[in-house]
């Protein structure tokens, strides 16, 4: 959808962009201006805070897994270990490997503030074209949105009775970071949407793999 209708990305970016006069004597054809939200100290602080939240949460999960491994026999919870493993492995395969090491390297998509439509010098590239002028740490897809999507997936680690209470609140908080990236001109709407959803897909895939392995082991023991 974003590839077929690039206007969606442009409309969303323009909603946060403020045009201004170009420097005196400027001869290029770019649209001059800036993203006001990117200059707000409070919003900058919130963005930095959210940047480190996935890392902090991953460290907590590692500590909880270590604590669980310290139990033996009847007190050891294999289900809890499996859930922690799914969470940690999906964070590595999703936000780190798929997004930051692969897609952001090969996509070539300049960020909104880097394009000539929003005060930069690069040409606009549609989502998924993979032929933009960006050389590294590109806009497609958003690593911070991927981290936020991973955090949203952790709702499944809550007890079922608490998911209904805290799930919607956690989901809304996880959407703050992607929203700020669009408001700052750091990413297009497609970058944050696909970044967020990519972690959900990876998390589900890893969970399915672990469940499949558990079923195989159960059937193996039954056969024996």
């Amino acid at each position: 959808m974003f590839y077929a209708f690039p206007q969606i990305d442009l409309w969303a970016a323009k909603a946060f962009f403020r045009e201004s006069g170009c420097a005196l004597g400027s001869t290029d054809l770019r649209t001059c201006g800036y993203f006001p939200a990117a200059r707000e100290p409070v919003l900058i602080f919130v963005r930095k805070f959210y940047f480190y939240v996935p890392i902090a949460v991953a460290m907590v999960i590692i500590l909880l897994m270590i604590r669980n491994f310290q139990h033996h026999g009847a007190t050891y919870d294999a289900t809890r270990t499996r859930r922690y493993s799914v969470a940690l492995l999906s964070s590595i395969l999703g936000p780190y490997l798929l997004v930051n090491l692969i897609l952001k390297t090969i996509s070539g998509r300049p960020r909104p503030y880097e394009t000539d439509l929003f005060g930069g010098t690069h040409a606009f590239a549609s989502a998924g074209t993979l032929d933009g002028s960006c050389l590294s740490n590109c806009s497609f897809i958003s690593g911070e949105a991927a981290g936020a999507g991973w955090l949203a997936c952790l709702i499944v680690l809550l007890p079922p009775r608490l998911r209904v209470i805290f799930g919607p609140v956690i989901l809304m908080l996880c959407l703050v970071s992607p929203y700020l990236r669009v408001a700052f001109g750091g990413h297009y709407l497609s970058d944050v949407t696909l970044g967020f959803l990519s972690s959900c897909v990876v998390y589900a895939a890893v969970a399915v793999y672990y469940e499949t392995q558990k079923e195989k082991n159960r059937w193996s023991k039954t056969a024996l």
Side-chain angles (χ1 to χ4, degrees):
M1 182 187 70
F2 287 113
Y3 175 82
F5 303 101
Q7 297 87 352
I8 298 175
D9 278 336
L10 297 178
W11 289 336
K14 286 179 180 178
F16 298 98
F17 181 70
R18 180 179 299 174
E19 288 192 35
S20 62
C22 295
L24 186 63
S26 176
T27 58
D28 54 31
L29 300 178
R30 64 174 177 166
T31 299
C32 299
Y34 62 99
F35 289 87
R39 301 184 179 185
E40 292 293 333
V42 174
L43 296 181
I44 293 174
F45 171 80
V46 172
R47 184 253 169 154
K48 289 182 178 180
F49 172 79
Y50 270 93
F51 181 86
Y52 292 105
V53 169
I55 300 174
V57 172
M59 294 300 295
V60 171
I61 294 177
I62 291 174
L63 293 176
L64 291 174
M65 176 176 279
I66 294 175
R67 182 179 178 183
N68 190 50
F69 278 135
Q70 292 175 344
H71 293 269
H72 302 281
T75 61
Y76 174 71
D77 192 336
T79 300
R80 185 172 297 174
T81 297
R82 184 168 58 253
R83 289 177 177 174
Y84 292 157
S85 299
V86 170
L88 293 174
L89 182 58
S90 64
S91 70
I92 296 173
L93 295 179
Y96 180 69
L97 181 61
L98 175 64
V99 176
N100 284 297
L101 291 188
I102 299 178
L103 290 178
K104 291 176 71 66
T105 301
I106 68 173
S107 70
R109 190 183 201 189
R111 300 173 184 274
Y113 66 77
E114 294 176 332
T115 66
D116 53 10
L117 298 175
F118 303 105
T121 57
H122 294 271
F124 171 78
S126 300
T129 54
L130 304 182
D131 59 357
S133 56
C134 174
L135 299 179
S136 64
N137 193 25
C138 303
S139 188
F140 187 83
I141 51 182
S142 170
E144 291 179 47
W150 176 75
L151 288 175
C153 293
L154 299 183
I155 294 174
V156 300
L157 297 182
L158 296 174
R161 59 186 178 84
L162 296 180
R163 294 174 194 170
V164 178
I165 301 174
F166 295 106
V169 177
I170 294 174
L171 180 59
M172 292 300 296
L173 291 175
C174 290
L175 293 175
V176 172
S177 178
Y179 173 83
L180 287 178
R181 299 307 292 141
V182 177
F184 283 10
H187 287 290
Y188 292 101
L189 180 61
S190 60
D191 298 325
V192 299
T193 301
L194 298 175
F196 192 96
L197 294 178
S198 69
S199 289
C200 300
V201 173
V202 171
Y203 199 105
V206 174
V208 168
Y209 172 78
Y210 271 81
E211 286 298 316
T212 302
Q213 293 302 115
K214 184 181 70 172
E215 288 299 314
K216 286 183 178 180
N217 292 335
R218 185 172 69 86
W219 281 107
S220 297
K221 292 180 180 179
T222 301
L224 292 175

